[in-house]
């Protein structure tokens, strides 16, 4: 009988752990975290980091993204509850706040270790980017400078990837500027669905100050210009012109979706623009790593 009870108890604990793991994973902002990690892996492979180097980049970026995502939900737990955010695992009671905080700290420690696999210089760049993400979580998102961490962290991503190569080469300016502009545009699009809730919870970042219409316009311009800079950076050609045409179509679609209240669709289309830019960066991988 005692064995049966022990077995049943172990099964119950295992089921509870599995049920808790799903909301904990959601609290990482899983889809964007996975996208940024995939982008980093593609860039690392395209510039010649090799299997081990690419794996190191992917592990470091994934740990950093998870840390920032968990940190964001932990810092915003009271605001999310006040705004009635049922999609937020802490606010909905699906996972405890201290569990998310511990996970964030563990991910941050793992990020430091994995980043160092790319060398001290590259690790410093990546940890600066992750630090900017934490700065956003801890207060920058509620200030007029809210776009700065996004733009800076995205701009540092290609720098992290290339400086892990022998000789620590810097990427060309167009890769850094284009990535920064796309990151800034993503910030504005990402903020659109939450503007009303943000206003009730004392979040006054740049998108909240500009309002829905202006933020959407700024986002479209930043995304379009950033993607075109990345596409045209290595030089113009038939493939470049095709990519620019695709970006223009996607940015128009973002504008239409945003204007018609489909902000989540606008976010998905933004990821499509980022995807086009990443493919362009991957295609010009050798140019990214030139000393």
């Amino acid at each position: 009988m005692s064995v049966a009870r022990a077995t049943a108890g172990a099964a119950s604990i295992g089921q509870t752990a599995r049920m808790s793991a799903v909301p904990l994973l959601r609290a990482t902002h899983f889809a964007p975290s996975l996208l940024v990690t995939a982008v980093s892996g593609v860039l690392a492979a395209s510039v010649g980091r090799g299997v081990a180097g690419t794996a190191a980049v992917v592990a470091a970026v994934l740990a950093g993204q998870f840390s920032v995502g968990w940190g964001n939900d932990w810092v915003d737990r009271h605001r999310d509850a006040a705004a009635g955010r049922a999609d937020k695992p802490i606010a909905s009671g699906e996972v405890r706040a201290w569990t998310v905080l511990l996970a964030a700290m563990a991910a941050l420690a793992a990020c430091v270790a994995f980043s160092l696999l790319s060398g001290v210089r590259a690790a410093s760049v990546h940890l600066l980017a992750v630090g900017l993400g934490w700065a956003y979580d801890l207060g920058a998102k509620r200030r007029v400078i809210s776009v700065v961490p996004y733009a800076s962290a995205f701009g540092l991503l290609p720098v992290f990837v290339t400086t892990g190569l022998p000789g620590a080469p810097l990427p060309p300016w167009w890769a850094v500027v284009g990535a920064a502009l796309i990151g800034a545009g993503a910030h504005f699009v990402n903020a659109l669905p939450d503007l009303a809730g943000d206003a009730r919870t004392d979040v006054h970042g740049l998108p909240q100050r500009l309002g829905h219409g202006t933020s959407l316009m700024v986002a479209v311009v930043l995304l379009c210009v950033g993607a075109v800079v990345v596409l045209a950076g290595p030089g113009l050609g038939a493939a470049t012109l095709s990519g620019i045409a695709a970006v223009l179509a996607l940015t128009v679609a973002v504008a239409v979706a945003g204007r018609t209240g489909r902000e989540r669709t606008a976010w998905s289309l933004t990821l499509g623009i980022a995807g086009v830019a990443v493919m362009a960066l991957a295609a010009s991988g050798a140019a990214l790593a030139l000393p």
Side-chain angles (χ1 to χ4, degrees), residues 177-290:
V177 171
L181 290 172
I182 291 172
H187 169 55
F188 283 95
V189 176
N190 189 44
L192 292 178
D194 304 322
L195 291 181
D198 289 341
R200 295 194 301 269
T201 54
D202 195 34
V203 175
H204 302 294
L206 188 55
Q208 291 79 14
R209 295 167 189 259
L210 294 179
H212 190 284
T214 303
S215 289
L216 178 61
M217 180 178 65
V218 170
V220 167
V221 171
L222 289 170
L223 290 169
C224 186
V225 174
V228 169
V229 167
V230 170
L231 287 161
L236 292 175
T240 301
L241 295 176
S242 298
I244 291 175
V247 165
L248 291 174
L250 285 168
T251 50
V252 169
V254 169
V256 171
R259 292 288 294 178
T260 54
R262 293 175 292 167
E263 287 88 357
R264 300 298 179 188
T265 300
W267 175 247
S268 298
L269 292 166
T270 298
L271 300 184
I273 294 173
V276 173
V278 170
M279 287 189 290
L281 284 172
S284 58
L288 288 178
L290 289 176

Side-chain angles (χ1 to χ4, degrees), residues 141-161:
K141 69 181 296 179
R142 298 188 295 277
R143 305 287 184 264
V144 70
I145 61 168
S146 63
V147 69
V148 174
Y150 260 83
S152 302
F154 271 76
L156 288 171
L157 186 58
V159 182
F160 168 51
V161 171

Side-chain angles (χ1 to χ4, degrees), residues 162-183:
T162 62
T163 51
L165 289 165
L170 293 173
W173 69 268
W174 47 264
V176 177
V177 171
L181 290 172
I182 291 172

